[in-house]
Amino acid sequence: MNTSIVGRNIDLTEAIKNYAESAFESIKKYNLDIISANIVIRDNKKGGTFTVEFVINVKDKHTVVITQNEKDVYAAIDLALDRAKKNLRRYADKLKDHDNESLKDIIHEGEDKVADSEPESEFVPMELKLYKPLDFDEAKMILEESGENFFVFNDNDGNTRVICKLDGGKYGLY
């Protein structure tokens, strides 16, 4: 990992440099392929604040840029470092949690689980039957004959619709 610490409008003391270098050590723990990490420290003389900017280039990811303004240069480094760690931790967790399995492996695992396990709930998978599209009057007639409270169907435009019984003998159509 290439590192650099740059001061703009400020003479960097050894204490500030050492403090910034310790920040580089703390981001190595995520085991990411960090190509380069740069810290730019600016003294905003008019505002009486310091701006610390972390620029971290990670392999296979865009550049991470964190900018922090504070009155104390050490506080600015700490806050920028915390934000950079949070960003890198999220990326590392994403890589760790993301298994690179093929679609065939996922399908075979699912088939094995379904074949080996008994249904644990009262829901049982069923095969759907495809029906011809219905108009609203046909759907209403089927609902009345079935004695159910609602009926799901496809209308003539191919949209999935739901017709349901409402109070007072009326019907709702969604």
Side-chain angles (χ1 to χ4, degrees):
M1 170 172 67
N2 297 327
T3 61
S4 69
I5 302 168
V6 178
R8 306 272 161 104
N9 299 329
I10 186 174
D11 291 328
L12 296 177
T13 63
E14 283 300 314
I16 294 173
K17 286 182 184 178
N18 292 337
Y19 198 75
E21 285 176 10
S22 68
F24 292 135
E25 294 302 317
S26 66
I27 62 172
K28 287 182 181 178
K29 71 178 181 181
Y30 297 107
N31 296 325
L32 296 172
D33 292 328
I34 298 175
I35 298 167
S36 67
N38 305 313
I39 298 176
V40 178
I41 302 172
R42 288 188 194 94
D43 183 5
N44 303 329
K45 296 187 186 243
K46 293 180 182 177
T49 61
F50 293 94
T51 301
V52 174
E53 184 176 80
F54 276 69
V55 180
I56 303 169
N57 295 314
V58 180
K59 180 182 173 190
D60 299 330
K61 183 172 171 34
H62 297 291
T63 304
V64 176
V65 179
I66 307 292
T67 304
Q68 185 67 46
N69 293 317
E70 285 296 319
K71 291 187 179 200
D72 180 32
V73 69
Y74 295 103
I77 292 171
D78 283 341
L79 292 171
L81 178 62
D82 288 342
R83 290 175 54 203
K85 283 182 184 179
K86 184 176 181 180
N87 194 305
L88 294 174
R89 184 183 65 241
R90 284 182 182 165
Y91 182 63
D93 289 345
K94 180 180 174 183
L95 291 178
K96 210 180 299 180
D97 292 342
H98 184 73
D99 296 332
N100 293 325
E101 294 183 29
S102 70
L103 184 58
K104 289 181 182 177
D105 295 339
I106 293 171
I107 291 172
H108 289 301
E109 279 182 19
E111 289 174 354
D112 294 342
K113 289 179 183 175
V114 170
D116 295 342
S117 65
E118 294 290 324
E120 296 178 5
S121 70
E122 60 188 51
F123 297 103
V124 179
M126 298 181 69
E127 190 173 317
L128 271 177
K129 295 179 183 176
L130 298 177
Y131 294 102
K132 67 177 181 89
L134 302 173
D135 62 10
F136 301 125
D137 293 330
E138 291 173 319
K140 179 182 167 190
M141 187 175 64
I142 292 172
L143 178 64
E144 289 172 351
E145 291 173 359
S146 70
E148 299 290 330
N149 291 328
F150 67 92
F151 178 67
V152 179
F153 67 100
N154 286 330
D155 65 8
N156 292 326
D157 296 330
N159 298 322
T160 302
R161 307 296 294 257
V162 177
I163 188 169
C164 63
K165 292 181 185 177
L166 301 175
D167 293 334
K170 295 185 179 183
Y171 293 91
L173 183 63
Y174 301 97

